[in-house]
Amino acid sequence: MTPAQSALLDCLRPVLGAKGIVTDRDAIAPWETDWRRRFHGLAPALLAPASTAEVAATVAAAAHFRVPLVPQGGNSSMVGGATPPADGSALILSLRRMNAMRRVDAEAGLAVAEAGVILSDLHDAALAVGRRFPLSLGAKGNATVGGLVSTNAGGTQVLRFGSMRGLVAGVEAVLADGSIHDGLAPLKKDNRGYDLTQLLVGAEGTLAIVTAATLRLVPVPATRTTAWAATADPQAALALLRRFSHATETLESFEILPRESLAAVLAYVADARAPLTGEHRWHLLIEHTDERGTALMEELLGSALVDGLIADATIAASDAQAAGFWRLRESISDSERALGPASQHDLSVPVDAMPRFMIEAAAACEARFPGTHASGFGHLGDGNIHFHVRAAPGTDPARWYAEDVPVVTRFVDDLVIAAGGSIAAEHGIGQMKLGELERLSSPARLTALRAVKAAMDPHGILNPGKLVTLARAAPGQ
Amino acid sequence: MTPAQSALLDCLRPVLGAKGIVTDRDAIAPWETDWRRRFHGLAPALLAPASTAEVAATVAAAAHFRVPLVPQGGNSSMVGGATPPADGSALILSLRRMNAMRRVDAEAGLAVAEAGVILSDLHDAALAVGRRFPLSLGAKGNATVGGLVSTNAGGTQVLRFGSMRGLVAGVEAVLADGSIHDGLAPLKKDNRGYDLTQLLVGAEGTLAIVTAATLRLVPVPATRTTAWAATADPQAALALLRRFSHATETLESFEILPRESLAAVLAYVADARAPLTGEHRWHLLIEHTDERGTALMEELLGSALVDGLIADATIAASDAQAAGFWRLRESISDSERALGPASQHDLSVPVDAMPRFMIEAAAACEARFPGTHASGFGHLGDGNIHFHVRAAPGTDPARWYAEDVPVVTRFVDDLVIAAGGSIAAEHGIGQMKLGELERLSSPARLTALRAVKAAMDPHGILNPGKLVTLARAAPGQ
């Protein structure tokens, strides 16, 4: 521990109390490594304030002593966004003790949740008043509101209600100088200068510490209809997506997966069964909440069958069957991991461009890296897929991750940029993509990112080494 | 003209050509005053680039010579946001020659419009391909895309589709150093660091010059149902709003106006007729596009009548009748202006708090400023009203505007802040509200606004004197 860190802890002890300062190595260890165990850091202490005032005091003191803080919620970042640096220079700022649901207002369709509220608890709190928080993802049992806001999280229901950005009506946050920005009032129109709420959504804790958020709730749908369909190619899937989009405003999911992803799941998950018989190149998982229910689904899938857009389809006959479809979709990452090491890419391109990208990028990767297998699956409706390039059989995992993955990553990222896309669709930049972001951003974007970071966090104490590096100060400044 | 301005023009002449540099006093004059004639500026020249590259060259040269630029579209700001300073220190940067619709894609529901495209032309371009751009406002014949984006414009259709912020899928902009940020790709998920698009929406041209935007288009509704209802109090109106919101997702407008606003319109507009007989304290203009059409409207208004939420109602029997209802609503500002000078406030509070605010703020104003008349009308569904405090009869207009309006403004703004609201709901800050924003913002908000401004526009060349003032540099910096 550095002298500055010791001084900070001395200063915070009366503020945070015994529960609020953790220095026991065993207690800290689980939070020093990301959940995929790809990033390992070191934090001499973990600070756990229990209120906004305590967060403000913590940040003000950290600013005074110039001790960097790494904000952390559920530690479910896919890009090492919540893992402290390895040199022990930063402390972890855990928001998990701030887990109060301050307000749930069914009538207004709003909830005010503190940063440490776990997503599944938010779901439950909304349901308890007959409302729904319409964003979900695999890590819902760990991911917290603060992390979801700070990473502009996505998931499988973005198609209709958008990612977190569209669901956040306001935030409360502590700025880098320890001052509190109270932006929780749910104003539908507010043009008092730059939108600080929108600036903090997706800022990965590098500009301020989000302590609470006002979130939109929507009605619980009376009915939900889920179908599985098979198609020969992604372009046909896009055409079907358009038909659904035009027929209903309640399309909630339109997921695509290739044959090999389904095969991996069927091989890995004990009791998994293929929804359709026969061999199909591509599979679709479609869900809407239109009142017309299965009638609408049958009509659209029926005409798609007639028109040759799809080869086969089945509509879930029960909630259990729908859940079974979703379990197949949600088991892909784990199942593919069992097949061997891969280079994984969370990318987006304009929705129209995605079918072509899926085919051409896979072919380009396999041609460039002989023996690898490349394919993408995910949120076709959002123009966002998870694209995996699996190492050739027999590849040494250590060598693959150390030497090959960076090369594959640059190759894939170049394809994404050429297609007008984003190398960070829903998982953010964190520390994993920082180098690629700087390599591939236009001078204008990079200048703006650095300028905003330097302006909001001039001493670089908020989540250092994530999202963007501070430019070295010019001589004379 | 200053030597720096002369040097800038010399430098830009070969780039912009004769059409791109206007120095004729008569040609510039109309653009030196805002359309309400409340702010008067002086610009030695008006620059009118015709392409993004020309804007980039203009800004780069202006940065070099440290000549401030005031970006301008349709010059329809309500807060002096596009009016140059009076000291002649800045030039006008008109975006009106950049008026190409670069793309209109019905299938994808997207349009790419340059900054100078006029809103009504955008409406027409969307309709020409069977789509709709769902934002409209009184100045649609003048307001341009660049201005609408830069002010996060609202209007009468925000309830369902949101203000500009929700309709902008991407922007192209020139930063203060002349570099071009190309963010037009319509990516539904993109977490490459801070969201520059969202930062520039509503930034009033103080951080960058928006040169084009990718905008969302929505389907043209098959049916539109418009009704006029009367109620005794705004709290009942809110209850009715909730019923509509729960019954349909297609509620597009829910406007409220007091008896005296309707009376002003009926007195001012030659052939205007009251939609309902009898005297009613409050009036509502309600519009939805639900397929159930008048049946749904009748059902909801019928039960509201039975329950005593409203006293009377009528459903427009034709498009012409609906247009008549809207003409009443849209004539309020002009009609009330004819009644005498007023202090006008574009404000918002949480929707739930609006009924009480409307009553209590009006009473508080009339008590504090004897002889005045205070009332609000507008977008109840958005928690946004236009609140007018009319001078006591016989008040000298010059004295009213010079001495009384600032006092009334501070009084009203304090009420807004006490109600957790915003003093700038849909019209922005411009130069009119800059002082009040600085007076009423928390230290955190003001620090953040100034930091972002200083970071993105370090030499203060973009729309000086609007939205936020640059803090004086601290000693030693």
Side-chain angles (χ1 to χ4, degrees), chain A residues 107 131 151-152 160 175 180 189-191 194-195 206 242 246 249 348 379 382 384 422 424 426 444 451 455, chain B residues 107 131 151-152 160 175 180 189-191 194 206 242 246 249 348 379 382 384 422 424 426 444 451 455:
Chain A
E107 190 67 14
R131 287 288 176 272
T151 60
N152 183 26
R160 182 172 180 201
L175 305 191
I180 297 171
K189 289 181 179 170
D190 183 12
N191 279 328
Y194 318 131
D195 193 318
T206 63
R242 294 290 182 226
H246 291 172
E249 294 185 10
S348 68
H379 323 295
D382 307 323
N384 167 214
S422 169
E426 62 176 6
Chain B
E107 189 67 13
R131 287 289 177 272
T151 60
N152 183 26
R160 182 173 179 201
L175 305 191
I180 298 171
K189 290 182 180 170
D190 183 11
N191 278 327
Y194 319 131
T206 63
R242 295 287 182 228
H246 290 172
E249 294 185 9
S348 68
H379 323 295
D382 306 324
N384 167 214
S422 170
E426 61 177 6

Side-chain angles (χ1 to χ4, degrees), chain B residues 103-163:
Chain B
R103 178 182 163 211
V104 186
D105 185 336
E107 189 67 13
L110 294 168
V112 179
E114 292 188 344
V117 170
I118 290 170
L119 178 55
S120 57
D121 292 338
L122 173 62
H123 288 157
D124 293 345
L127 281 176
V129 299
R131 287 289 177 272
R132 165 186 176 215
F133 181 68
L135 182 138
S136 193
L137 36 73
K140 65 185 174 186
N142 294 300
T144 59
V145 164
L148 293 161
V149 171
S150 295
T151 60
N152 183 26
T156 50
Q157 297 177 348
V158 168
L159 191 48
R160 182 173 179 201
F161 296 104
S163 51

Side-chain angles (χ1 to χ4, degrees), chain B residues 374-406:
Chain B
S375 65
F377 67 92
H379 323 295
L380 181 63
D382 306 324
N384 167 214
I385 57 163
H386 303 301
F387 187 80
H388 293 182
V389 182
R390 199 161 64 241
T395 305
D396 171 49
R399 204 209 69 183
W400 171 255
Y401 285 115
E403 294 172 28
D404 297 339
V405 165

